[in-house]
Amino acid sequence: HMWYIFGSAWKRYAEGADPERVYKIGHAMSQDGVTWERRGPGRQVVPDRLGPDECQALPTVLTEAGRHHMLFCYREASGFRTDPTRAYRIGYAVSDDLAHWRRDDAAAGIDVRPGAWDADMLCYPHMFRWRDTAYLLYNGNEFGRYGFGLARLAEV
């Protein structure tokens, strides 16, 4: 299984501004790791929370006891570089079959921290298991300019 992002639109949100892209999370499967079949090209896997111009990126999936947990980052399509309320946050979705995902961002268990290096932005998550513990790596403000974090996942 491979999760990837695909562009769904280019939009100009202000007169004279550069166009911004909108992208979503997709899914592909392969029997050999070379030839991939996309599940409905252009079909997004995780539903939008912010509306149709929500951008979703860097999905990471961990499977525990037959249940699949996805963390990803999402943001508004415009203004995200200068307005922290429009910047990346960590989202969460869960699936029992890898085809149908139920989104519940509050269950991600992580959010921005006022006054910290990740006060404005959380992006580019990666989950992994080491020994008996699941961890999350993620970038902070300005796409990680001021650092990255390592969080121990309480429960997956």
Side-chain angles (χ1 to χ4, degrees):
H1 294 273
M2 173 177 58
W3 288 267
Y4 61 92
I5 63 170
F6 65 90
S8 61
W10 283 93
K11 295 186 177 182
R12 192 177 311 272
Y13 292 92
E15 185 67 35
D18 290 335
E20 297 284 359
R21 64 189 169 155
V22 177
Y23 43 87
K24 308 296 181 186
I25 296 170
H27 178 228
M29 296 186 316
S30 174
Q31 295 298 317
D32 60 10
V34 176
T35 305
W36 292 89
E37 180 182 329
R38 293 181 289 171
R39 285 195 168 173
R43 179 185 163 270
Q44 80 182 73
V45 173
V46 177
D48 294 322
R49 193 185 116 219
L50 303 177
D53 288 354
E54 173 180 283
C55 296
Q56 303 169 346
L58 209 67
T60 179
V61 176
L62 198 61
T63 301
E64 291 293 324
R67 190 155 236 213
H68 312 286
H69 306 270
M70 178 189 291
L71 290 179
F72 57 95
C73 56
Y74 67 98
R75 64 168 170 80
E76 297 282 359
S78 66
F80 59 92
R81 291 179 186 89
T82 56
D83 181 348
T85 66
R86 300 177 69 80
Y88 276 121
R89 298 295 187 267
I90 302 292
Y92 171 80
V94 64
S95 174
D96 292 319
D97 62 5
L98 295 175
H100 303 92
W101 292 86
R102 183 176 45 83
R103 186 167 177 177
D104 182 5
D105 295 341
I110 190 167
D111 204 353
V112 293
R113 298 177 305 146
W117 60 273
D118 57 358
D120 300 334
M121 180 183 289
L122 301 173
C123 61
Y124 311 143
H126 177 72
M127 285 188 294
F128 66 96
R129 181 166 285 291
W130 186 66
R131 298 189 178 166
D132 292 331
T133 305
Y135 293 93
L136 170 68
L137 289 168
Y138 67 97
N139 286 11
N141 297 348
E142 293 185 37
F143 311 95
R145 179 176 185 178
Y146 298 102
F148 68 92
L150 173 65
R152 185 177 57 222
L153 296 174
E155 190 176 307
V156 179

